Amino acid sequence: MKRPKFISSIRYHLWTNFILCKKALNGGRTIDILSRVKRYREEENQLKWEGTFAEYLEIVKQRPEVAQTAHSRVYNMIKSAGVLEKDGQKMYQFFGREIFGLESALERLVEEYFHPAARRLDVRKRILLLMGPVSGGKSTIVTLLKRGLEQYSRTDEGAVYAIKGCPMHEDPLHLIPHHLREDFYKEYGIRIEGSLSPLNTMRLEQEYGGRIEDVMVERIFFSEDRRVGIGTFTPSDPKSQDIADLTGSIDFSTIAEYGSESDPRAYRFDGELNKANRGMMEFQEMLKLDEKFLWHLLSLTQEGNFKAGRFALISADELIVAHTNETEYRSFISNKKNEALHSRIIVIPIPYNLKVSEEERIYEKMIRESDMAHVHIAPHALRAAAIFSVLTRLEVPKKAGIDLVKKMRLYDGEAVEGYNSVDVEELKKEYPNEGMHGVDPRYVINRISSAIIRKEVPSINALDVLRALKDGLDQHASISDEDREKYMNYIAVARREYDEIAKNEVQKAFVYSYEESAKHLMNNYLDNVEAFCNKNKLRDPLTGEEMNPDEKLMRSIEEQIGVSENAKRAFREEILIRLSAFARKGKRFDYNSHERLREAIQKKLFADLKDVVKITTSSKTPDESQLKKINEVVARLIDEYGYDSTSANELLRYVGSLLNR
């Protein structure tokens, strides 16, 4: 360790000890971080490349993908992250870690826009407009695309090359004269679109004497912070916002030097459209922009160029993506002055998520990214909130026999007796724009935050969350009285759903203590089912007397999971087939071999034990055996079900109160 000049000998020893102690306390992380920064810097330097246009053509010959269009680059970036297919639905892993429950919308986005645009179809000549409610994921999608492009440009597959010194990072292939481009296509298989910019046309003549093979080319890396290949335009006061923010402007300090405003050297190519060339351009709240800004997009989308300064049209290759809400979009299309833009926009709806399990994941992600991550949130607390949120977004089904709760369960992939995937598709077709209204995730997280702060404890449960949501409705100014009443009912529904979850949770914890009883009950059921299906009699193990299968016992178990009288034979035959299949494979059919049967056994046993649970959970002065049982269940809830001691005891007390009603 070298001593800094400004530190005396004595102070140096003290400083050295301090640093060493700090490193020891940090586990050596100081060195690790610095070494990682150094390694990253070295890796960045290794990625850099610079050479002549002639050398660049050799790269193009070997790797034609470096000459791909902006749209093609985005599509290949998404595809390279991996694509899975589940139940006929494409799942793009590029979005998988950040976007939940929007598989259909994302598939439409990729397959109806990015894929055909990458194939140079007409859709690439349109502005991509993501339309949806607040906090629905629009901005997240755009951010993922921007961050993804930054990383992708650092890979071999996504490498981007540009004319060195060009403020617009122009495609080097623009140097190929128009009359030679057909020959170039035949030799290289690459189509060239766009003309060499006025600035690079002048540089070609003045710096390189017209010799395109000598023009210097460099590899560039997309960066929003450095304004390379990614631009963001935000509307401001129409009276003060300058079109130069979009297209660049005259540099008046250079006019005297170059003698004319039409000299491209006297122009600053620093507008967002300039800097976003070769990549993507985000228009935040595009429909709020003044009309004069939108007119530039007409030629950019249709012809791939825009007008700036007093010289020829400037070619640009970039993905134009904007986002807005439904109200603003309806207002926009109703304005006849905007008709020219209507046909230049492709609208992709981004609705709210409609799956309860995915909504839970959204909340978990938002909590992870917040300062609330240290707070223990009891199991199913977020699910209760998710049930409420999804219910506010669903439309009341027209299909007979299906209520909102059944619809919610079907959408989440749960099995609902009497309904299948065909019914789900029919429900979705009833309301094509379903999910464009309702409670947004940010509201829920804000209310959970409120519950944590108000309670000031390291643990909150589902009741705390639902109570916070209910209180928030009274304070929400934008919710109408009609919606408020409807939402209150949905909180009540979410509470009822949670009540069942809570009882099942305690049921499982209690029944575990009676595992032998559960196994005995299941074996008894299986014996009776086998006899019933084979039309045999059972033999009493004590008396040897032959008996008919115990119909009362079988029905008492089957009814626990909603197996109707008409469906009992099919259910029993299914069990027998499963039993036979296990036997053929030399496996033993046990308590965990059939999920629905296990659930039925648990519920039956719990129903028989209900009185025990009532007494144990509600007694103010439990005796020694009751206390022992409570402690066993609490320990199991903590060790196996994810509760802490506070939430486990709260759960037991709550279930006790439910059973005593």
Side-chain angles (χ1 to χ4, degrees):
M1 190 180 294
K2 189 177 178 182
R3 176 167 64 93
K5 291 179 181 178
F6 62 88
I7 295 182
S8 67
S9 179
I10 295 172
R11 287 181 179 175
Y12 170 67
H13 290 296
L14 293 171
W15 176 74
T16 303
N17 289 332
F18 169 75
I19 293 295
L20 290 172
C21 288
K22 191 173 180 182
K23 286 176 181 178
L25 289 169
N26 291 337
R29 284 191 295 242
T30 305
I31 294 175
D32 188 47
I33 291 296
L34 291 177
S35 63
R36 288 185 183 185
V37 170
K38 184 182 177 183
R39 190 161 62 246
Y40 176 78
R41 188 167 60 244
E42 290 169 351
E43 288 171 356
E44 285 282 288
N45 288 330
Q46 288 174 3
L47 290 175
K48 291 179 180 178
W49 182 90
E50 187 178 303
T52 64
F53 181 68
E55 292 170 327
Y56 170 69
L57 283 182
E58 290 301 314
I59 295 175
V60 171
K61 189 175 283 186
Q62 295 171 21
R63 293 160 48 208
E65 67 272 12
V66 302
Q68 63 188 322
T69 63
H71 289 84
S72 176
R73 188 172 292 107
V74 171
Y75 174 68
N76 287 329
M77 171 187 72
I78 295 169
K79 196 171 67 170
S80 68
V83 184
L84 304 174
E85 196 158 324
K86 185 180 178 182
D87 301 327
Q89 182 84 65
K90 286 185 177 179
M91 318 278 282
Y92 301 95
Q93 291 181 283
F94 178 84
F95 301 103
R97 292 181 182 177
E98 297 288 333
I99 306 290
F100 307 111
L102 297 182
E103 291 82 12
S104 296
L106 291 172
E107 183 176 8
R108 185 177 174 186
L109 172 64
V110 175
E111 297 303 327
E112 292 188 18
Y113 184 79
F114 289 131
H115 194 175
R119 299 289 181 263
R120 297 178 187 266
L121 294 173
D122 195 63
V123 71
R124 72 191 175 103
K125 296 179 179 180
R126 298 196 206 170
I127 300 164
L128 172 63
L129 180 63
L130 305 179
M131 181 187 70
V134 295
S135 193
K138 305 185 297 296
S139 299
T140 304
I141 291 170
V142 176
T143 301
L144 284 173
L145 291 172
K146 291 195 291 188
R147 299 294 85 81
L149 278 174
E150 289 177 341
Q151 293 302 316
Y152 193 58
S153 69
R154 287 162 170 77
T155 65
D156 290 341
E157 298 82 9
V160 188
Y161 296 82
I163 296 172
K164 188 179 180 182
C166 174
M168 287 187 59
H169 333 293
E170 188 165 8
D171 186 347
L173 294 183
H174 284 182
L175 291 163
I176 303 288
H178 283 271
H179 68 278
L180 294 177
R181 290 184 177 183
E182 188 64 34
D183 295 335
F184 183 85
Y185 174 68
K186 289 176 182 176
E187 184 176 347
Y188 287 81
I190 296 169
R191 298 185 188 277
I192 304 173
E193 295 178 351
S195 301
L196 194 63
S197 67
L199 178 62
N200 284 324
T201 301
M202 180 175 285
R203 289 180 63 204
L204 176 62
E205 295 301 321
Q206 294 187 0
E207 294 178 29
Y208 300 99
R211 293 176 56 83
I212 66 169
E213 61 270 32
D214 294 337
V215 175
M216 294 303 293
V217 176
E218 64 179 351
R219 183 175 179 181
I220 62 170
F221 306 101
F222 288 162
S223 170
E224 185 175 19
D225 293 339
R226 296 175 183 174
R227 303 186 75 209
V228 178
I230 298 174
T232 304
F233 192 82
T234 306
S236 60
D237 185 356
K239 295 177 183 177
S240 61
Q241 191 153 30
D242 191 348
I243 196 71
D245 297 343
L246 200 60
T247 61
S249 62
I250 294 288
D251 186 353
F252 291 100
S253 65
T254 60
I255 293 175
E257 182 182 350
Y258 299 118
S260 170
E261 290 184 17
S262 61
D263 190 313
R265 293 171 298 179
Y267 197 85
R268 292 199 302 264
F269 295 89
D270 60 356
E272 293 301 317
L273 287 180
N274 307 112
K275 295 299 183 182
N277 186 35
R278 311 295 303 286
M280 68 175 285
M281 169 76 181
E282 176 192 8
F283 275 92
Q284 295 181 356
E285 304 295 342
M286 185 187 81
L287 303 185
K288 291 179 181 176
L289 285 170
D290 189 81
E291 290 169 7
K292 67 181 179 182
F293 290 87
L294 297 176
W295 301 136
H296 283 280
L297 303 181
L298 290 172
S299 66
L300 179 60
T301 52
Q302 195 64 37
E303 308 297 335
N305 52 48
F306 63 93
K307 184 70 175 162
R310 297 181 181 179
F311 34 80
L313 291 165
I314 297 173
S315 297
D317 172 31
E318 55 197 88
L319 161 68
I320 306 290
V321 59
H323 40 90
T324 189
N325 59 51
E326 191 174 9
T327 305
E328 283 179 353
Y329 178 70
R330 300 298 173 205
S331 174
F332 173 76
I333 61 173
S334 64
N335 189 344
K336 297 295 181 183
K337 291 193 295 184
N338 298 324
E339 283 183 345
L341 273 168
H342 295 175
S343 61
R344 310 287 169 87
I345 293 174
I346 182 166
V347 181
I348 301 292
I350 307 293
Y352 283 133
N353 159 61
L354 298 176
K355 296 178 181 177
V356 171
S357 56
E358 295 296 309
E359 190 72 10
E360 276 190 89
R361 293 181 68 192
I362 294 172
Y363 301 154
E364 286 167 0
K365 171 182 168 284
M366 294 172 87
I367 289 169
R368 248 189 344 263
E369 295 171 351
S370 73
D371 291 336
M372 298 189 298
H374 65 285
V375 177
H376 180 268
I377 297 176
H380 315 296
L382 297 183
R383 183 168 186 82
I387 290 170
F388 163 71
S389 298
V390 170
L391 286 172
T392 68
R393 302 166 188 172
L394 293 175
E395 302 289 346
V396 178
K398 299 173 184 175
K399 193 176 179 71
I402 294 187
D403 59 19
L404 215 54
V405 174
K406 282 183 182 176
K407 183 178 183 177
M408 176 190 75
R409 288 176 177 162
L410 285 167
Y411 274 19
D412 204 30
E414 289 185 43
V416 177
E417 192 172 356
Y419 301 97
N420 52 34
S421 58
V422 176
D423 296 298
V424 176
E425 291 306 311
E426 286 179 5
L427 287 169
K428 289 177 179 178
K429 287 175 183 176
E430 287 182 350
Y431 301 98
N433 293 322
E434 192 171 41
M436 299 300 279
H437 307 281
V439 166
D440 65 279
R442 278 195 203 120
Y443 168 77
V444 175
I445 289 298
N446 289 342
R447 297 313 306 162
I448 292 172
S449 305
S450 173
I452 291 169
I453 292 165
R454 188 170 60 247
K455 203 175 179 188
E456 292 184 344
V457 293
S459 175
I460 62 166
N461 57 38
L463 298 178
D464 297 322
V465 171
L466 290 174
R467 196 177 299 112
L469 288 170
K470 180 177 177 293
D471 294 343
L473 293 177
D474 296 327
Q475 304 163 17
H476 208 301
S478 63
I479 296 178
S480 66
D481 291 340
E482 184 184 348
D483 282 344
R484 187 174 287 107
E485 186 179 348
K486 187 166 61 175
Y487 290 177
M488 284 292 190
N489 289 333
Y490 293 153
I491 287 174
V493 173
R495 170 76 176 267
R496 288 197 294 273
E497 290 294 301
Y498 173 69
D499 288 351
E500 290 303 310
I501 293 170
K503 284 190 284 189
N504 288 338
E505 200 87 320
V506 172
Q507 164 196 302
K508 286 188 290 186
F510 258 91
V511 167
Y512 193 87
S513 305
Y514 297 88
E515 193 170 357
E516 288 304 315
S517 301
K519 289 177 180 178
H520 177 74
L521 184 60
M522 190 197 72
N523 289 331
N524 197 1
Y525 175 79
L526 291 176
D527 289 342
N528 280 275
V529 163
E530 195 170 4
F532 173 84
C533 292
N534 294 328
K535 298 179 180 177
N536 295 330
K537 290 190 180 283
L538 290 166
R539 190 175 295 276
D540 191 302
L542 294 175
T543 64
E545 183 185 353
E546 286 191 337
M547 305 177 296
N548 289 322
D550 192 341
E551 182 68 17
K552 188 178 177 182
L553 171 73
M554 289 187 287
R555 291 299 298 141
S556 70
I557 292 169
E558 292 157 357
E559 284 170 351
Q560 301 296 326
I561 53 172
V563 177
S564 64
E565 183 70 26
N566 294 332
K568 69 181 185 182
R569 177 173 285 279
F571 181 77
R572 292 170 188 177
E573 287 173 350
E574 182 207 325
I575 295 292
L576 191 62
I577 291 167
R578 184 77 65 91
L579 196 66
S580 302
F582 270 70
R584 283 197 304 273
K585 294 176 182 177
K587 295 180 180 178
R588 187 171 176 273
F589 189 95
D590 61 22
Y591 182 57
N592 296 306
S593 297
H594 194 285
E595 192 174 333
R596 288 193 74 202
L597 179 58
R598 185 180 72 237
E599 184 188 349
I601 296 291
Q602 286 178 347
K603 285 185 174 180
K604 167 63 177 164
L605 196 56
F606 187 68
D608 296 342
L609 294 170
K610 194 172 283 186
D611 289 338
V612 177
V613 177
K614 277 185 191 179
I615 296 166
T616 307
T617 56
S618 61
S619 178
K620 292 181 180 179
T621 54
D623 60 31
E624 191 176 336
S625 67
Q626 290 171 346
L627 197 60
K628 184 183 175 188
K629 181 58 65 180
I630 289 172
N631 290 336
E632 284 177 2
V633 174
V634 167
R636 187 153 291 113
L637 288 170
I638 294 171
D639 296 339
E640 298 179 25
Y641 295 96
Y643 291 83
D644 67 352
S645 61
T646 303
S647 58
N649 280 288
E650 287 174 343
L651 177 70
L652 280 178
R653 284 196 295 273
Y654 181 63
V655 171
S657 70
L658 289 175
L659 295 175
N660 280 296
R661 286 178 185 175

